[in-house]
Amino acid sequence: MNENAGVSSSKIKFCDLRCEFAEFPSETALDGSGTCRTFMALYCKKLNKYVTKNAPCEAEYGARRPTTSF
């Protein structure tokens, strides 16, 4: 695995709601904070899983952290 998670440019694509594949997490999926929208993950439709919000795009650069069991 690369030390920089495959990032080779300063023009990094981040996981946020500007991505066409990103969705709000379901209200019951994570920590119950769906009503105030303070959450740490987004659902990625491209990867069909929850990913860390504001992290480098997992679909483009690969996963950098251990995953959860859901």
Side-chain angles (χ1 to χ4, degrees), residues 10-56:
S10 63
K11 297 178 182 178
I12 300 171
K13 180 179 177 183
F14 290 96
C15 181
D16 57 29
L17 287 170
R18 291 178 286 183
C19 177
E20 64 183 294
F21 301 110
E23 290 184 346
F24 281 111
S26 69
E27 291 188 25
T28 59
L30 301 174
D31 60 1
S33 60
T35 56
C36 62
R37 298 292 187 201
T38 55
F39 50 88
M40 296 183 61
L42 293 172
Y43 186 77
C44 177
K45 294 184 285 187
K46 188 171 186 177
L47 296 175
N48 294 316
K49 67 176 193 168
Y50 287 97
V51 295
T52 306
K53 182 178 78 168
N54 298 326

